[in-house]
Amino acid sequence: MLRTHEAGTLRPEHVGTTVTLTGWVARRRDHGGVAFIDLRDATGIVQVVARDEVLTGTAHDLRSEYCVRVIGEVTAREDKDVNPDLPTGAVDVGATQIEVLSAAEALPFQIDERVTVGEEARLRHRYLDLRRPGANAVGQNLRLRSKVNAAARNLLAERDFVEIETPTLTRSTPEGARDFLVPARLQPGSWYALPQSPQLFKQLLMVAGMERYYQIARCYRDEDFRADRQPEFTQLDVEMSFVEQDDVIELGESIAKAVWATIGVELPTPFPRMTYADAMARYGTDKPDLRFDLELVECTDYFAETPFRVFQAEYVGAVVMPGGTGQPRRQFDAWQEWAKQRGARGLAYVTVAEDGTLGGPVAKNLSEAERDGLAAHVGAAPGDCVFFAAGATRASRGLLGAARLEIAQRVGLIDESAWSFLWVVDAPLFEPASDAVASGDVAVGGGAWTAVHHAFTSPQEEFLDSLESDPGSALAYAYDLVCNGNEIGGGSIRIHRRDIQERVFAVMGLSEQEAQEKFGFLLEAFKFGAPPHGGIAFGWDRIVALLAGTESIRDVIAFPKSGGGFDPLTEAPAPITPQQRKEAGVDAKPEPTAPAPQGADEVNPRQS
RNA sequence: GGCCCUGUAGCUCAGUUGGUUAGAGCGCCCGGUUGUCAGCCGGGAGGUCGCCGGUUCGAGUCCGGUCAGGGUCGCCA
């Protein structure tokens, strides 16, 4: 070792010890005859006192972020010189020798944690960003992430789970997003896909009798990137055989418990459960934030006889903004803009004055009876205002659900220190493909119905008889884990019976032949004694971000990409040479007459 | 793909109604300083105002386009 001690660990008990330290020059205060050097390593900072005679040779002009090795004796500081802000503040290291291990040019930004630096600069020189000290620094987030990984691995190892790696060069998996593609040099014209998740492989591992599998798996999806999305991201992926929904949920709770324990939070289990239908009706979303109580109020029946045209709709709902009546007019206008940004026509509102009379543009359109009972029906107090959405059920609830969050933020209803966990269960198995098409999605099959989760999700037993006659009512053994309004995990019990799988494909309009083309290898495997199985996958980046107390998953990824999938550090993606292009077979023309290799003519309509 | 915001020194930002030589703090460079701890003092360097075009006697400032970044909706489990 090049050192005997670590800088941040020195204490008065070390006084008199001769130590050798290594680290970086965090700061230098030169007084002519004596200089004070803050020496930083991963454990913290200690002050090195260097007299003139030590600062010779290259050590003479020590500058910021020089990497150095210091030999010296730990000395106690006089009382007046103690720095209470530093864990090592009661001691100095009196240097007898300073060796420059590596010089540093002037840095593109300061390492000092108190200096704010834009994200682009930090990403371009991520290695310097990671060097920055401080509890909220990215480097600390990575250390936390490592502990979180270990906590999960420990728990899963205790329960005899097997950590298994699956291929990253593979076929497309049926997750529904666009695949990243890799040309196959040895088969020009054929391409690998990077996995969107290890879904099919982990099911194969169940057929293989591994019984309990997990993996901290990198996943790839070629979609437009958002604040919270990276083209490559990480899941804790788990699959188990011979289990029912409750078993997977119990495991999920144990994992959450173990993981949150790394930040000293003890989660009470079991977590509450809510049905998907309930979540949509009461919160307008499948991932409700329950850190505050506010709920949507169903008003369709209340306005059944309404004279107000806008409220003569399939669905009318409301959400109350406590104290909202006091908002200035332009704020109400801003709410309209906010709603329009979300694709709504607007956001109707009614104010409730202190004397109980209703105001706002909508009030006069309502019948007298409707006005009289409205505040009581929606639970609005004097001074509150009520926002309404009317129209298609799903879209209206979505708007109100978003308004609910916006209200909570503006009014300050959210307890930022709270951890609210819940399971959302009983998700529908299918959604109408028209919904999917309307929302820009493309059905996996050509039928009227498409899978909500994925095509291998098991229907609950009581809906087996009505799968074909009433697909829209069928519920699945599918469950999402929600934390503070974030979906941090989700999974399902899978179909292991061939007959049910075929019926589900049929409802989705997927022919035998198409199914064979897409998932033939899985269906083949299922012929040979597939065990009942199910699993769950956790959004690892988001979970670590929650634990680290940061908004952005970029802050918990060592080398994240910025918008457009660009890596400011390596400047990937980059052009390739003509030679690479030739070898990769990118430009290979498919033989029109040759029989298409398995799956080769699958063109995802979304790609065109 | 739609909408909104931003782009000025290495970093973080200011820049008035369109008007002389574009500023500040930090950092950097040089010199000084024997008890500092975001040291202090003196001096200095550093700018294609993202890019292209337009309006104007005159553009960092106004207009059009474009690129990049951020946010948001669409998309995405």
Side-chain angles (χ1 to χ4, degrees), chain A residues 303-371:
Chain A
F303 289 113
E305 308 294 330
T306 189
F308 185 34
R309 279 274 178 79
V310 175
F311 284 3
Q312 294 166 5
E314 170 189 310
Y315 170 89
V316 185
V319 62
V320 174
M321 179 175 188
T325 288
Q327 297 175 96
R329 178 57 194 256
R330 67 173 193 291
Q331 186 60 56
F332 281 111
D333 292 342
W335 276 105
Q336 304 307 309
E337 274 312 304
W338 175 90
K340 280 177 188 154
Q341 253 235 309
R342 250 147 254 268
R345 272 200 292 269
L347 193 61
Y349 66 92
V350 165
T351 58
V352 184
E354 291 301 333
D355 65 0
T357 56
L358 304 186
V362 168
K364 61 180 182 294
N365 293 299
L366 305 178
S367 73
E368 205 177 320
E370 284 167 353
R371 282 200 296 271

Side-chain angles (χ1 to χ4, degrees), chain A residues 380-423:
Chain A
D384 294 351
C385 85
V386 189
F387 289 111
F388 294 95
T393 306
R394 199 186 168 85
S396 302
R397 281 175 170 166
L399 180 64
L400 289 173
R404 174 183 178 268
L405 286 177
E406 189 71 22
I407 289 167
Q409 266 156 24
R410 293 200 192 183
V411 183
L413 298 176
I414 300 177
D415 176 0
E416 295 291 347
S417 69
W419 294 109
S420 138
F421 284 81
L422 80 153
W423 293 100

